[in-house]
Amino acid sequence: NILGSGFSFKIHIHRGAGAYICGEETALIESLEGKRGEPRLRPPFPPTYGFRGQPTAVNNVESFCAVPHILKNGAEWWKTRSTYSTPGIKIYMILGHVNDPGLFEAPFGLTLRQIIKMGGGLQTNSKFKFALCGAAAGMIVDKSLFDVPIDFASSQQGISLGAGSFLICDQSVSSIAFLREVLHFFTAESCGKCTPCRVGTWRSLEILNRLAGGYGRQGDTEELKTLAALMQ
């Protein structure tokens, strides 16, 4: 009897297997139906044909969490949560070489400098080298982007918000070894449906393994750039 309307519904929570590809909405629906987690061909799109053929709204859990607060307090209240052009608030996660890794809630538009400060600043004797912004498929940035306000459009300037995750790395981290670990993750999590990803991630990992081991060959970096453009 929601808000005295006479309307009721039940919520069923399904625990998934944690496949990275199921962050894509149609792969998530496939998994929910008991199938292999692979993206569907589109159209049709989930709002017209989704879970078991029914219209389906797929959103990040963070979006759903905001809905009751907006319904209770109103859209104008939600907009006052931030003075930035993007209204509302965001959950940020900071980890790596900072003093206080963890989660915090803040308005959109924070800069990387402010995010690091919210994480208690860099650890003693650490010097900032780069940050992975927006989670695994985000962007690796240097200090030249320290003061760019971050939102869902800031990727056009070279720094992404994505899932709100920021991994801060200091001078002790090898850029090549770090990139190798990212590619190792994607080779393991690729659903294998598309040839550029299925083959490209493995080929990239092979090159990065050589480079990280000190056995690079002439043309390796050029091939990596070509593979990166192809996969993108």
Side-chain angles (χ1 to χ4, degrees):
N1 187 30
I2 299 169
L3 297 175
S5 64
F7 177 73
S8 303
F9 68 89
K10 295 180 179 179
I11 295 176
H12 298 273
I13 297 177
H14 295 260
R15 185 174 181 177
Y20 182 80
I21 193 64
C22 290
E24 195 279 329
E25 59 180 5
T26 60
L28 180 65
I29 293 171
E30 288 284 286
S31 176
L32 196 60
E33 292 179 349
K35 304 170 188 174
R36 178 188 174 106
E38 279 190 351
R40 294 176 177 177
L41 293 176
R42 294 177 292 180
F45 295 93
T48 55
Y49 186 92
F51 180 64
R52 293 178 180 171
Q54 300 300 307
T56 306
V58 182
N59 279 284
N60 188 288
V61 65
E62 194 173 354
S63 300
F64 284 124
C65 286
V67 170
H69 298 287
I70 296 171
L71 287 174
K72 181 180 178 180
N73 299 294
E76 291 305 315
W77 169 85
W78 178 252
K79 292 176 182 178
T80 63
R81 299 302 89 194
S82 170
T83 57
Y84 189 65
S85 56
T86 302
I89 47 182
K90 180 83 182 79
I91 300 293
Y92 296 81
M93 177 171 68
I94 184 165
L95 62 162
H97 294 111
V98 291
N99 289 307
D100 298 310
L103 297 167
F104 64 91
E105 189 175 39
F108 289 92
L110 292 187
T111 65
L112 185 56
R113 187 187 301 275
Q114 290 172 313
I115 290 169
I116 292 173
K117 186 177 180 180
M118 295 291 275
L122 287 169
Q123 294 175 354
T124 305
N125 298 324
S126 283
K127 184 179 179 181
F128 178 85
K129 187 172 184 179
F130 63 86
L132 177 60
C133 302
M139 294 178 167
I140 297 174
V141 306
D142 61 18
K143 62 182 180 181
S144 67
L145 297 171
F146 250 27
D147 297 306
V148 176
I150 303 170
D151 58 20
F152 292 117
S154 62
S155 58
Q156 298 173 9
Q157 299 179 64
I159 185 167
S160 59
L161 176 62
S165 170
F166 295 85
L167 173 58
I168 311 301
C169 297
D170 69 9
Q171 73 281 4
S172 67
V173 180
S174 162
S175 304
I176 294 174
F178 179 84
L179 190 59
R180 176 186 61 182
E181 295 308 306
V182 173
L183 262 295
H184 180 268
F185 172 79
F186 282 116
T187 55
E189 292 295 332
S190 172
C191 73
K193 189 168 186 175
C194 315
T195 303
C197 175
R198 183 179 66 248
V199 179
T201 51
W202 278 102
R203 178 60 181 156
S204 299
L205 179 61
E206 183 182 37
I207 295 170
L208 285 162
N209 275 329
R210 283 206 312 271
L211 291 173
Y215 302 104
R217 301 174 187 170
Q218 189 171 358
D220 275 349
T221 54
E222 288 75 13
E223 184 175 356
L224 273 176
K225 291 176 182 178
T226 301
L227 287 166
L230 174 66
M231 287 189 286
Q232 186 175 24

